[in-house]
Amino acid sequence: MVGTLMATGAARLLRTSALCPTPACCAPYGSPHRLCGGCACASRGRRGHTGCCIRPCARAGRRSVAAPAERPALSWNAEVTIVGAGAAGLSLAAHLAEPPSDSGLRPSVLVVQAPPGPLRSPNRTWCFWEAGGGPYDHLLESSWDRLRVYGPDGMVVDRPLGALRYKMLRSVQFEEAMSERLLRSGVTMRQLTVEGVTDIGDEAVVWGHDATGMASSLWSGLVFDSRPPRRLPAARTTLLQHFRGWFVRTSKPVFDPDAAILMDFRIPQPAHGLAFGYVLPTSCNEALVEYTEFSPTALDGAAYRRALSHYCDNVLALGEYVVGEQEQGVIPMSDGNMSRRHAGRVFPIGTAGGATRPSTGYTFAAIQRHSLHLARAVRAGRSPARVQAPHSLRARTMDAVLLRALDTGRVDGAQFFTRLFSSVPAERVLRFLDGSTSLWEDIGVGLRTPAAPMLRSLLDLPLLPRSVPTSWPVNR
């Protein structure tokens, strides 16, 4: 909701871009109100504003949420404030900044990002798949039309992707390009260490301090918050997908740049969960090589180094190589219900908003879909609360079954994924993992999985208590 709801509750949001015809009532706030449509303004011989503007009007006969004198010395204002300038924040801002159509408006947008330092997310790699060309193809590090999976016994499953391509995007290229695009579109970007986001009825406030330590607050009609959750929701099953990756360069050509290795189970498996190698070759001599685990807790630095060294030296047999950049991360794999609304005007997005697929950890493609739907809702004057969740109930239920089966050890993860890719076309598997398959296709994929342990895990779900996991790391 970008404008405050009218007293009758029937007002639409951002219906017109007309400015308040009685600007004196807005003077304490520094700029005229932008009306949401149907405003009963005092200058028209009717009662003053009753909540259709971004902020309550001084002439509406209502107490202001905060007197101007009480506000910090430095403040910015927008109809939409987005906290975080990563994939979720920048993607949503880009959709909101598109030129208005006949059926919608272009709200003013402010993107807040943390100053350079530990609060900013490190450089990372996002992978996704789509048919044909896409809007970010010019930013891709590489892409592939074939995937490989290696079973624990060394059996290789090499599959073409049909109409799909598996794409690799570096965050630094994406963020730089999107930031430049947003600035050209008139989106305001500010650096702020955010300490909190508060809904106060008529508007939402993002508050914190800037790089100099000066207190600052941002007042807007809507806030979308992409910061990772401080804790995960109560769940029946919670695992962590944790990984470290090395960008390696070898002295001899050892990689096949035409195929990515999605899962390589030719490595020692943990006592609880599963582990696999992941290779994204960008040339015959260069690749991102990752060690990944699905398990209850993350490893320490030494353990990741040992695992990666073993994989590079003994499994891939790279020979002489040099390690350049490194990546490390932790992704929640939980059947808990991520909050879709923190407060009346505050909405989580990205992983915090449920965009991460619990059974795989893939997030980027869901962020793109969800951002588009959120932006359409805002521009059309609908509440973001009415936008569907990033993943369907059916997909989340299947994820909950798989997580339970993996966590209990009823299903051997390495055998499960090897069998899945060997018995189902890779294009269909990827669409299944993305939640874009039909019910009948889901049933067909399900028939290729171990029936008894999966059914038992399904029957477990209604009987299991939910608890808040304690293994979610504070620094991600």
Side-chain angles (χ1 to χ4, degrees):
M1 296 168 289
V2 177
T4 308
L5 294 177
M6 292 187 70
T8 62
R12 288 281 185 171
L13 307 180
L14 290 176
R15 290 286 298 274
T16 78
S17 59
L19 296 180
C20 174
T22 56
C25 73
C26 310
Y29 300 104
S31 63
H33 292 104
R34 183 181 296 277
L35 307 184
C36 65
C39 177
C41 186
S43 70
R44 300 176 185 172
R46 292 182 271 179
R47 61 192 177 97
H49 298 297
T50 58
C52 64
C53 299
I54 295 298
R55 294 203 186 96
C57 180
R59 294 187 179 180
R62 302 168 59 189
R63 182 178 62 87
S64 176
V65 173
E70 297 173 350
R71 297 191 175 183
L74 179 61
S75 65
W76 303 282
N77 302 278
E79 290 164 321
V80 177
T81 297
I82 298 173
V83 179
L90 293 176
S91 298
L92 177 57
H95 286 303
L96 289 172
E98 291 177 354
S101 64
D102 293 339
S103 59
L105 292 174
R106 175 179 165 179
S108 58
V109 179
L110 169 62
V111 177
V112 180
Q113 65 179 141
L119 292 180
R120 277 202 187 179
S121 297
N123 293 339
R124 54 218 178 277
T125 298
W126 299 310
C127 286
F128 59 101
W129 49 88
E130 60 186 346
Y136 306 120
D137 280 4
H138 64 293
L139 301 175
L140 295 179
E141 186 79 6
S142 192
S143 67
W144 304 268
D145 59 8
R146 302 184 68 86
L147 290 180
R148 289 180 185 147
V149 174
Y150 287 88
D153 58 357
M155 181 189 76
V156 59
V157 180
D158 190 321
R159 292 288 185 266
L161 299 184
L164 301 180
R165 288 194 70 87
Y166 192 83
K167 300 183 177 183
M168 174 186 183
L169 178 64
R170 300 293 305 279
S171 64
V172 62
Q173 281 82 15
F174 175 84
E175 291 169 359
E176 288 177 356
M178 293 296 284
S179 296
E180 292 176 3
R181 172 181 166 185
L182 292 177
L183 290 174
R184 290 196 302 268
S185 300
V187 172
T188 304
M189 302 189 72
R190 293 286 187 268
Q191 291 188 6
L192 186 73
T193 299
V194 175
E195 298 174 6
V197 180
T198 305
D199 181 285
I200 51 177
D202 289 311
E203 54 193 346
V205 185
V206 177
W207 50 277
H209 60 273
D210 64 14
T212 67
M214 180 179 292
S216 180
S217 62
L218 313 174
W219 301 73
S220 57
L222 273 179
V223 173
F224 292 97
D225 191 349
S226 69
R227 292 175 300 167
R230 291 187 175 274
R231 64 177 184 176
L232 297 179
R236 294 162 296 202
T237 305
T238 299
L239 296 174
L240 300 179
Q241 180 181 155
H242 51 99
F243 59 90
R244 176 175 287 186
W246 289 346
F247 285 85
V248 302
R249 181 176 180 84
T250 61
S251 59
K252 297 180 179 179
V254 295
F255 299 113
D256 179 1
D258 296 327
I261 300 177
L262 189 68
M263 289 180 161
D264 190 342
F265 295 108
R266 299 174 295 172
I267 57 178
Q269 296 297 305
H272 189 175
L274 75 153
F276 56 91
Y278 179 57
V279 182
L280 301 178
T282 56
S283 72
C284 295
N285 297 78
E286 297 174 305
L288 170 60
V289 180
E290 285 188 359
Y291 172 83
T292 301
E293 273 194 21
F294 296 175
S295 59
T297 57
L299 305 179
D300 59 28
Y304 287 120
R305 286 193 296 272
R306 288 193 299 269
L308 271 168
S309 295
H310 171 80
Y311 184 51
C312 290
D313 298 339
N314 302 327
V315 179
L316 297 178
L318 299 184
E320 295 183 3
Y321 61 90
V322 176
V323 177
E325 295 181 66
Q326 300 186 38
E327 293 186 353
Q328 184 169 327
V330 181
I331 301 172
M333 305 178 71
S334 165
D335 67 352
N337 296 316
M338 287 290 190
S339 172
R340 296 180 57 198
R341 189 175 195 168
H342 288 335
R345 296 175 174 273
V346 182
F347 297 85
I349 56 175
T351 293
T356 297
R357 183 74 192 263
S359 63
T360 66
Y362 284 103
T363 306
F364 187 82
I367 282 176
Q368 301 310 306
R369 293 192 300 269
H370 197 224
S371 297
L372 177 60
H373 294 154
L374 287 172
R376 285 176 175 172
V378 171
R379 292 162 66 99
R382 300 191 306 271
S383 169
R386 299 173 60 184
V387 174
Q388 292 185 348
H391 299 290
S392 69
L393 177 60
R394 187 171 83 236
R396 299 198 305 272
T397 300
M398 292 188 293
D399 288 347
V401 173
L402 178 57
L403 290 176
R404 176 66 176 169
L406 292 174
D407 190 46
T408 58
R410 293 171 185 156
V411 167
D412 181 295
Q415 297 290 349
F416 175 89
F417 285 106
T418 303
R419 178 181 176 183
L420 185 64
F421 276 92
S422 63
S423 59
V424 180
E427 180 179 7
R428 189 180 306 167
V429 173
L430 292 184
R431 289 193 297 108
F432 173 78
L433 296 179
D434 204 30
S436 59
T437 44
S438 68
L439 174 61
W440 295 112
E441 287 177 314
D442 289 347
I443 293 174
V445 172
L447 293 175
R448 273 45 174 208
T449 63
M454 298 296 279
L455 178 59
R456 183 179 175 187
S457 298
L458 173 62
L459 296 176
D460 275 353
L461 295 183
L463 307 177
L464 295 174
R466 293 180 180 267
S467 59
V468 176
T470 60
S471 57
W472 182 235
V474 175
N475 296 319
R476 291 169 295 283

